[in-house]
Amino acid sequence: MITSVLVANRGEIARRIFRTARSLGLSTVAVYSSADARMPFVDEADAAVHLPGNTPGETYLRSDLIIDAARRAGADAVHPGYGFLSENAAFAQAVIDAGLTWTGPPVDAISSMGSKIEAKKLMAAAGVPVLAELTPAEVSTDDLPVLVKASAGGGGRGMRVVSRLEDLAAEIDAASAEALSAFGDGTVFCERYLATGRHIEVQVMADRHGTIWAVGDRECSIQRRHQKVIEEAPSPLVERIPSMRAELFDAARKAAAAINYVGAGTVEFLADENGNFYFLEMNTRLQVEHPVTEETTGLDLVALQFAVAAGDSLTPEPPPTVGHAIEVRLYAEDPLNDWRPQTGHLHRFAIADDPQRGNKVAPGGEKFPLKVRVDSGVEDGSEVSPYYDPMLAKVIAYGSDRAAVARRLAGVLERATIHGVGTNRDLLAWILRHPAFLAGDTDTAFFDKHGVGAGPDDAVVRVSALAAALADAAGWAAPVRVPSGWRNLASQPQRKSYRMGDVVHEVAYRYSRDGLIADGNITLLDSSPERVVLEVDGVRRSFAVAAYDGITCVDSSLGSVALHPVERFVDPADQVAAGSLVAPMPGTVIRVGVAVGDVVKQGQPLLWLEAMKMEHTIAAPADGVVGELKAEAGQQVEVGAVLAVVGEDA
C-alpha cells in the first residue's frame, strides 16, 4: 500500500504529481538540485531532499542519491515523471530492489522499448506497421531525405534531417555526440523522412490483470526542431478518416500486449494524409501532453498510475472521448534571436482565464463550459536556469468545439502577464488563430509552409516605447503634477531610447499648453508610473507599464513588448569589441573547432555550447581570422561572455 511518494523529477511535472498525490491522501517528497532550491515544487512537497550540484548528471540522473533520499524521507514509492530517469530500466530495477513501489511499467517493458532499433523489430513481429530502418551504410540517393535518430531517447536530441548524401557522415557524427551527451548512448539509426507527415499518438493504460486500454488519440504534428509545440485531442486527421481510430487503437493495444505492458504509456505513429500510419516509438512513461487526454476523458492518469502500481484492476473499457482539448508548451525563448532558450529572473508570471466570458452555447443549444488549465513549474520570482528544459508551463483549454477552444486559448495567452524573459507566447497565439490550424491542416511541415509568425510590428513597438517613456517621466515628476521636461516656451523634445533585439527605438516627445506632442496622431489622456492611457488615431488604449532592473515591460491590447532602456553614458569597459562572439546563454563549451590564427568564413561553426538540454553552434560573424580564443572545452560560461574574437587579421 502506497502512503508516501517521492517524485524523481522537478518543475511542472513534480507539481502535477504532487497535486494528485495530495488528493489521494499520500504524503509527498521532492528532490532538488542547488539551482532549484527556491523553485515552487520544493516548497509544495511535504518533505524535500537536497541533491548537491546543478547539472542533471550531478542530481536528477543520480539513481543512488534518489533512492537514498526516498529512504531518508520515509517514502515507500517512487514516481519518475517524464524525462531524466523515467525510461531508465536500471533505475526502475534499483527502486524495486530497494523495496520501494515503482510507479511505472515493468523493467522488461522499459528495456524492450529503450532501443528504438530493437523496438521496431518487436513491433513488426507483433503486426504493428513500421517504417523500414536503414543503416547508414545502406542509405542511397534514392532514400533521401532521411532522418538520423538517436536510438536511446527523444525530445529532438540526436536527431538530424539529411537531404544530401555528402552530409550524412558529418550529421551522423553530430547526432551521435548529442545523443551520447543527452542519453549516455550514442547509437543512431536512419529512416526515411516524411516531410509532411502527421504525428499521431495513442494513450494506453494497462493493469496487471491483462486489461489494456487505448484511452484516446492525440495529434502533436506542429513541431519545431523536432520538439512538440502544440498538442490536441482528438486528432483532426483521425476525426476526418472514419476507420483510422479503430486501426490505431488496435495497433496500440498490440504494441502494449507484445511487451506485457503495465501502467501508462504512449504509442507514437507517423501518419500520412490518407490515414496510413507507421510505428515511431513507445514512450514507457507519462507524456508531457497527457492533460489533453485527461480533459477529454475525465480521467486522472496519475491517479491511475498509482492505482495500477498498487495492483488495482481497470474496468473493461475506458471512458469515451468527449469534446476537444488543446495544449500549448510555453517556453522561455528569444523570438528575436532564432528562438534560442532564455535564462533569467521571472519578475511576473500570471496566466488567468477571464471569468466574465462565461459558458459557450454549443450548436445543439446545450451549455458546455470552456475550461482553461495551467500546469506550471514557475511563479513570480522564479529563476529560469540554464541547466534544464526551458518550458515554463503548459496551458490547456477544453470545450465542445475545436475552433472555440483555439480562440479561447489564444486569448488567454495574449492576456497573460510574463515579465523578465522572452517567450514563444505570441507564436503560440498566432498558430492558434492561423486559418490552416483552424482547418486542421497541421502536419509536421507547418512552419516550413507558413513561417514562424511575425513579432510585434514597428508601430506597436514605437507606441509601447512612448508609453514606457511617459510612465518613466511620470515617476520622476511625482509627487508634483508637472510633466518631466515641461517648459513655458517650446524647447527641445524629451528623448529616451530602448533596445529590442538588435534594434534601438528612440522616443522623442514634448509637452505644450495643448498637451503631448509626439510622432503620430497621439493624445495623452492619463499617465502614472504603472499605467499610461493614450488615444492613438482616435482609439483609446491603456498600456500597463512595469519597470525592472534593465527591462521595461509594456502590456496592452496591441500585444506585449519587452524593452531594454539604453543608458546615455556607457562605461567603455562594458562594451564588447567588434568581431566578438559572445555566449547567447549560460552553458558549457563542449567543443572548439578552430585555433588562433585560423582563417574562417562567415557562418562557419567555431564553438559548440550545450545549454538547456540543447546544443548551440557559435558561428563566425564574418570572413576573417581568429584573433583570440577565450574559452575551452568543458568550460562553464555566463551569458554575454566573450568566447572568441574574429578580425580582419590575427
Side-chain angles (χ1 to χ4, degrees), residues 46-118:
D46 297 313
V49 180
H50 179 220
L51 306 178
N54 291 316
T55 67
E58 297 171 310
T59 55
Y60 300 108
L61 293 176
R62 287 283 302 274
S63 58
D64 55 335
L65 297 182
I66 290 171
I67 291 171
D68 179 64
R71 287 197 181 105
R72 285 194 282 151
D76 50 31
V78 172
H79 194 302
Y82 52 71
F84 295 131
L85 294 170
S86 61
E87 294 180 284
N88 187 303
F91 175 58
Q93 188 61 59
V95 169
I96 294 167
D97 292 344
L100 304 169
T101 298
W102 168 246
T103 312
V107 174
D108 288 346
I110 299 174
S111 297
S112 298
M113 295 294 103
S115 164
K116 289 185 174 65
I117 296 172
E118 296 305 316

Side-chain angles (χ1 to χ4, degrees), residues 5 7 11-28 41 44-45 286 290-291 294-295 300 302-303 306 371 373-377 394 396:
V5 59
V7 177
E12 167 269 323
I13 188 58
R15 298 180 85 185
R16 161 72 189 93
I17 296 166
F18 290 160
R19 187 167 67 242
T20 288
R22 284 193 298 270
S23 73
L24 297 173
L26 307 180
S27 63
T28 56
F41 78 95
E44 290 180 5
L286 199 66
H290 75 272
E294 292 186 324
E295 296 303 325
D300 182 329
V302 175
F306 285 128
K371 174 185 176 184
R373 164 179 168 179
V374 180
D375 286 11
S376 168
K394 303 179 311 196
I396 307 102

Side-chain angles (χ1 to χ4, degrees), residues 334 337 340-345 384 386 576 581-588 609 611-612 636-643:
D334 184 356
N337 194 12
R340 283 177 172 162
Q342 279 212 316
T343 62
H345 188 75
V384 182
V576 176
L581 286 80
V582 299
M585 66 197 71
T588 302
L609 188 70
M612 303 179 97
Q636 183 75 27
V637 295
E638 294 299 319
V639 62
V642 177
L643 305 176

